[in-house]
Amino acid sequence: MSVRTRLTLVYGGLFLVTSAVLVSVTYLLTVRTMDNRFSARENVDAATLARLRAMAIDGDLSQLMALRTDADRQLARQKHDVLEQLLQSSLVTMLVLGVLAVAIGYLVAGRMLRPLHRVTATARRLSESNMHERIALDGPQDEIKDLADTFDRMLDRLNRAFDAQRRFVANASHELRTPLTINRTVLEVALASRKSPPETKALADVLLGNTARHERLIEGLLLLAKSERELGTRAGTPLPDVVRSALDQLDDPAVDVEARLAPAVVTGDPVLLERCAVNLLENAVKYNVPDGRVWVSTGVADGEAFLRVVNTGRPVPAYEVAAIFEPFRRLRADRTGSRDGAGLGLSIVRAVVHAHGGAIETVPRPDGGLSITVRLPGAAAIPPVPPVAAAREAR
């Protein structure tokens, strides 16, 4: 139950308990007062009857006793009727006022919790792009305003932290790329020069490979940092187009890549989604076996778009699947055999999927390899493509 409902129940319960106590005390006091009045009247009637007995004859006395008994019976009935009517009226009044108290308590609780709703609405709207927004709650300096002011101060600190992160990524992008670009240029000039001896060219070729690997590592780190931030671009992106673009970026894979692309559209950053597909395909090709195969498919299932990449390869234990999504974490040495790998491919995939509010399902294949399925929310079907193009695409 919500806080408003709980407060309403507390208000209503307290009112009903207080009303029940008040009705009980009123009823008991009324009974006691009536008992005292009737006892005093009976004493007076008894004294009067004693005087009449001394003055009257036996026949008159019997008639007087009958009249007194009938009068006492009527008084007792009236006393019972009065108390019963009082109890019924009190209970009806208590119930009516209890309903009114619950309704008034619900309205009052809603008014008291309105500042908290404002804090909650502001917190839901906030993202990295509008971190400048504040609650700025007005009113008396009570506990709720203290909470809102504390939240505003926390937003100030977060805004400064995000600004520092953006500046760091921009500075790192410039400071790390520039020397590597200069080194690559110098090495390429040395390789192209006819005056360079063979030993120098061999050394330059090795250094050029290391420089290229460092450039890919820096690009991966910067992309990972960007992927873990709030999405800056959201657009309807067809997954089949993303996969086709990713297939075009593969460097003549030594394995057979088969694509079955059903229509599906997701809302997100097209560049990050394309990088996600590229990394999945490169991972499936790189960690495969000779003459292996890769299957990639897209579609919509249960209201979610999916991108599934399945590959052949060496068997992967189920308990080691989670490790391949950690930065710089690989399984065995056979998964680090490529000099081109930086250990960030699947980490970037996970960051991109989480930034889009999706999920990843990774299942080891019994014959070796993995089946990785990326599920993204907000899927929508698009007009079907021609049957020839949608039936089967292979690379």
Side-chain angles (χ1 to χ4, degrees):
M1 291 186 297
S2 63
V3 176
R4 184 177 186 179
T5 304
R6 292 199 297 267
L7 288 175
T8 302
L9 293 178
V10 170
Y11 294 155
L14 290 176
F15 180 83
L16 289 177
V17 170
T18 305
S19 300
V21 172
L22 180 61
V23 169
S24 300
V25 171
T26 303
Y27 182 80
L28 294 176
L29 291 176
T30 303
V31 171
R32 182 178 178 183
T33 301
M34 294 183 69
D35 288 340
N36 293 334
R37 294 291 182 88
F38 281 113
S39 297
R41 183 170 181 177
E42 288 177 356
N43 294 331
V44 173
D45 292 342
T48 304
L49 184 60
R51 290 194 299 269
L52 292 174
R53 183 182 299 174
M55 299 170 55
I57 59 176
D58 293 339
D60 296 336
L61 181 60
S62 300
Q63 187 176 3
L64 291 174
M65 290 294 293
L67 292 174
R68 181 178 183 276
T69 302
D70 185 62
D72 291 340
R73 188 181 302 110
Q74 292 180 1
L75 289 176
R77 186 181 301 110
Q78 292 178 359
K79 174 184 176 182
H80 179 268
D81 293 341
V82 170
L83 293 176
E84 184 177 2
Q85 184 178 3
L86 174 64
L87 183 59
Q88 292 178 354
S89 302
S90 300
L91 292 177
V92 171
T93 304
M94 184 182 69
L95 292 178
V96 172
L97 293 178
V99 173
L100 292 177
V102 170
I104 295 174
Y106 186 79
L107 295 176
V108 172
R111 185 175 181 83
M112 293 178 61
L113 294 176
R114 191 177 301 169
L116 290 180
H117 293 324
R118 181 177 173 182
V119 174
T120 303
T122 304
R124 288 175 178 173
R125 289 195 305 270
L126 288 177
S127 63
E128 187 178 346
S129 58
N130 60 345
M131 192 61 68
H132 60 278
E133 186 176 351
R134 297 294 180 268
I135 300 174
L137 186 66
D138 298 329
Q141 194 67 33
D142 53 8
E143 290 81 0
I144 297 180
K145 192 173 187 306
D146 289 340
L147 175 63
D149 294 341
T150 303
F151 193 79
D152 286 341
R153 289 192 291 270
M154 182 188 69
L155 291 178
D156 291 335
R157 294 192 294 269
L158 287 176
N159 193 20
R160 290 193 295 269
F162 278 117
D163 287 340
Q165 183 188 30
R166 283 190 289 266
R167 288 194 299 270
F168 171 77
V169 171
N171 294 334
S173 176
H174 175 73
E175 296 295 335
L176 295 176
R177 286 172 178 171
T178 300
L180 290 177
T181 302
I182 295 175
N183 291 341
R184 177 162 51 83
T185 303
V186 172
L187 293 173
E188 290 175 348
V189 171
L191 286 174
S193 177
R194 296 181 179 180
K195 298 180 180 180
S196 300
E199 296 81 2
T200 302
K201 290 186 176 182
L203 179 60
D205 185 57
V206 174
L207 294 177
L208 189 61
N210 290 333
T211 301
R213 183 177 183 277
H214 291 157
E215 287 178 342
R216 286 190 292 271
L217 176 61
I218 292 173
E219 291 290 341
L221 289 173
L222 295 176
L223 182 59
L224 180 61
K226 180 182 178 182
S227 303
E228 292 178 340
R229 294 165 52 189
E230 182 77 16
L231 293 180
T233 302
R234 290 184 181 272
T237 306
L239 281 184
D241 294 346
V242 170
V243 175
R244 293 188 189 98
S245 178
L247 289 172
D248 292 336
Q249 298 182 40
L250 292 181
D251 297 329
D252 295 328
V255 298
D256 181 23
V257 180
E258 180 179 319
R260 294 185 178 182
L261 309 178
V265 173
V266 297
T267 302
D269 190 327
V271 176
L272 293 180
L273 290 173
E274 181 180 330
R275 174 51 55 185
C276 175
V278 169
N279 287 3
L280 285 175
L281 290 171
E282 288 182 346
N283 182 79
V285 171
K286 187 183 303 179
Y287 302 117
N288 214 309
V289 293
D291 299 327
R293 302 190 66 184
V294 174
W295 299 270
V296 56
S297 60
T298 61
V300 178
D302 300 329
E304 292 182 330
F306 69 86
L307 166 60
R308 182 177 293 114
V309 177
V310 183
N311 70 309
T312 57
R314 296 191 178 186
V316 179
Y319 59 85
E320 292 184 345
V321 168
I324 63 177
F325 291 95
E326 297 296 329
F328 306 108
R329 291 283 301 275
R330 302 182 178 93
L331 297 181
R332 301 175 299 275
D334 60 283
R335 291 188 65 86
T336 59
S338 175
R339 295 177 302 171
D340 298 332
L344 294 173
L346 293 182
S347 301
I348 294 174
V349 169
R350 183 178 64 176
V352 171
V353 173
H354 288 175
H356 286 78
I360 303 177
E361 297 177 2
T362 307
V363 180
R365 299 180 69 245
D367 298 333
L370 292 173
S371 173
I372 302 179
T373 303
V374 172
R375 299 188 181 276
L376 299 172
I382 60 175
V385 296
V388 175
R392 188 171 184 176
E393 299 182 10
R395 180 184 176 92

